[in-house]
DNA sequence: GAACCGTGGGT
DNA sequence: TACCCAAGGTT
């Protein structure tokens, strides 16, 4: 008979194997009763949504250095925050990040709410993030279910129902395991287990503290769980981007509308992205088409972007966008697809 | 519930 | 090359 998994066994493992991450506090401080700064916990959790730890680290360091508190962030210019987020993806997170910071600053006195229910009301904060902040920052026994936890629970219980249908059942399993002692450490421990031991492929079951309790280990099915419904394949869309450089070196850029793809980000004026894009030059010029197109894959389609360039005189007025001189504009302010087009135009 | 929303790394 | 995957949320 298999013994039920115990939270304390995982906590013991965590105390020996916890990773040192920029948004975590050390074990000595934790033992002394210090809690991590809710602002840093929240910021890290937003950045970590669907994003890997290595990708997040430099952005987290940059944000916390530039905006040390939520009130600092609330006072930031929109364009500065969007530029700082450029390259990290899912730009609605950055827009909601600012909204949330301003709500916390103006309606909560600069202090994050200390309940999962209140956290859930904040922009960009869903069930996972509300639980994570409640648990990690406030040590509340919230049930935290991310992709790691889903995978760990599916394997512990040898659950073969495909996601997302299995989500409620897996959440129930996770809730039953959540302890009243050290729930913040426990939440991070399950996610660390999923990230380092109970991995999607080639799980290191030999190192797993919960192997004696794992139904999938017994059944030999761990590596094939969790089941997921197959994804649709991505269609190819075409587009045209216009990179106009004024003789003084300024580039013609356009702020994208707040909603939709790359919402709120800076980009090159261009056509719609579809099966047969139409010419849409933002300024009268002799446009040259680059020999190579910029290729980029988004969440739900592949893009092949034709890049056109032109050199325009000082007095020429664009029909769309604004010229931005070089010190005010850095290519690192652009989302990746736009930076790819820029790199092609510069020949780098 | 399903679609939408980025990016980089691994296999 | 193509697909999978990552500490999801919003509409």
């Amino acid at each position: 008979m298999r013994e039920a998994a115990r939270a304390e066994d995982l906590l013991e493992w965590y105390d020996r194997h916890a990773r040192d991450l920029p948004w975590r506090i050390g074990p000595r401080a934790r033992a002394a009763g210090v809690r991590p700064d809710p602002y840093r916990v929240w910021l890290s959790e937003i950045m970590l949504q669907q994003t890997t730890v290595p990708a997040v680290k430099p952005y987290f360091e940059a944000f916390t250095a530039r905006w040390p508190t939520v009130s600092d962030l609330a006072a930031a210019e929109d364009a500065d925050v969007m530029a700082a987020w450029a390259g990290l993806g899912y730009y609605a997170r950055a827009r909601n990040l600012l909204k949330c910071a301003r709500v916390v600053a103006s309606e909560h006195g600069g202090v994050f709410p200390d309940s999962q229910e209140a956290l859930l009301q904040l922009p960009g904060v869903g069930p996972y993030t509300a639980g994570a902040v409640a648990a990690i920052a406030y040590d509340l026994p919230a049930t935290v279910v991310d992709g790691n936890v889903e995978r760990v629970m599916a394997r512990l219980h040898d659950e073969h129902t495909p996601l997302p249908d299995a989500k409620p059942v897996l959440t129930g399993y996770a809730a039953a395991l959540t302890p009243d002692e050290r729930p913040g450490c426990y939440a991070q421990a399950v996610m660390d287990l999923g990230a380092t031991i109970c991995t999607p492929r080639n799980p290191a079951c030999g190192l797993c503290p919960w192997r004696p309790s794992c139904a999938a280990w017994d059944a030999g099915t761990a590596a094939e769980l969790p089941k997921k419904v197959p994804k649709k394949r991505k269609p190819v869309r075409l587009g045209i981007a216009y990179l106009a450089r004024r003789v003084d070196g300024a580039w013609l850029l356009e702020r994208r509308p707040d909603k939709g793809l790359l919402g709120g980000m800076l980009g090159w004026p261009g056509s719609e992205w579809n099966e047969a894009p139409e010419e849409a030059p933002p300024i009268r010029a002799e446009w040259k088409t680059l020999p190579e197109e910029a290729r980029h894959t988004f969440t739900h389609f592949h893009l092949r972007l034709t890049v056109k360039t032109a050199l325009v005189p000082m007095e020429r007025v664009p029909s769309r966008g604004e010229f931005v001189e070089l010190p005010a504009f850095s290519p690192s302010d652009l989302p990746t697809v736009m930076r790819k087009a820029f790199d092609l135009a510069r020949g780098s």
Side-chain angles (χ1 to χ4, degrees):
Chain A
M1 184 58 186
R2 197 171 44 241
E3 291 187 14
R6 298 189 315 160
E8 53 194 273
D9 293 332
L10 188 60
L11 282 165
E12 184 189 340
W13 170 85
Y14 182 71
D15 285 335
R16 287 182 282 117
H17 295 100
R19 292 176 291 171
D20 182 24
L21 299 171
W23 42 88
R24 288 185 174 170
I25 60 173
R28 297 157 311 284
R30 201 170 59 233
V34 177
R35 297 308 305 175
D37 178 0
Y39 167 63
R40 294 168 64 89
V41 174
W42 162 76
L43 178 62
S44 68
E45 292 300 342
I46 300 295
M47 288 183 166
L48 285 163
Q49 289 170 7
Q50 301 290 286
T51 309
T52 58
V53 166
V56 164
K57 275 184 180 173
Y59 286 86
F60 180 83
E61 304 282 16
F63 268 69
T64 51
R66 185 168 179 182
W67 300 294
T69 72
V70 67
S71 298
D72 295 324
L73 183 58
E77 297 287 339
D78 291 41
D80 289 339
V81 173
M82 299 312 287
W85 196 275
L88 198 53
Y90 284 135
Y91 297 99
R93 292 185 295 174
R95 301 194 300 275
N96 287 326
L97 188 81
L98 253 179
K99 280 188 197 171
C100 181
R102 289 168 180 164
V103 168
V104 171
S106 65
E107 298 179 20
H108 298 277
V111 180
F112 276 86
D114 61 356
S115 78
Q116 192 171 4
E117 184 185 7
L119 287 162
L120 201 47
Q121 302 306 312
L122 298 170
V125 175
Y128 163 75
T129 305
V133 174
I136 298 169
Y138 295 116
D139 213 24
L140 296 169
T143 298
V144 175
V145 184
D146 72 332
N148 289 306
V149 178
E150 288 176 350
R151 185 170 58 256
V152 170
M153 294 303 142
R155 288 172 177 172
L156 269 183
H157 295 272
D158 198 32
E159 176 59 62
H160 287 242
T161 305
L163 285 166
D165 286 357
K167 174 106 180 177
V169 175
L170 299 177
T171 299
Y173 293 149
L177 268 166
T178 302
D180 291 320
E181 293 292 317
R182 302 178 62 194
C185 288
Y186 173 79
Q188 295 171 90
V190 191
M191 294 190 283
D192 269 22
L193 186 74
T196 63
I197 303 289
C198 196
T199 51
R201 283 178 292 244
N202 303 316
C205 301
L207 301 175
C208 183
W210 273 351
R211 191 185 71 180
S213 309
C214 185
W217 167 259
D218 287 354
T221 54
E224 61 191 70
L225 295 176
K227 302 284 190 185
K228 296 190 176 180
V229 296
K231 293 171 180 169
K232 292 192 298 188
R233 53 184 297 270
K234 301 173 179 10
V236 175
R237 293 188 195 172
L238 308 179
I240 308 167
Y242 296 88
L243 278 63
R245 187 168 183 269
R246 206 166 57 185
V247 291
D248 68 341
W251 292 91
L252 182 58
L253 289 154
E254 187 175 58
R255 179 72 59 185
R256 298 173 63 88
D258 262 351
K259 300 204 173 193
L261 190 67
L262 308 179
M265 296 301 290
L266 219 46
W268 308 110
S271 70
E272 300 291 307
W273 296 344
N274 51 36
E275 296 75 14
E278 296 178 8
E279 291 280 353
I283 190 169
R284 183 167 58 81
E286 284 190 31
W287 291 102
K288 296 179 183 173
T289 302
L290 295 186
E292 191 179 351
E293 57 191 8
R295 294 192 172 214
H296 191 74
T297 298
F298 292 100
T299 310
H300 53 292
F301 66 93
H302 302 286
L303 177 66
R304 283 162 37 188
L305 192 62
T306 297
V307 180
K308 301 197 178 205
T309 63
L311 190 62
V312 300
M314 290 300 294
E315 61 275 11
R316 192 78 51 88
V317 177
S319 58
R320 301 166 53 189
E322 291 179 9
F323 280 101
V324 184
E325 293 177 32
L326 256 189
F329 158 65
S330 161
S332 63
D333 295 350
L334 298 173
T336 298
V337 63
M338 301 296 178
R339 190 179 48 70
K340 284 183 180 177
F342 181 75
D343 289 345
L344 282 180
R346 301 159 80 207
S348 65

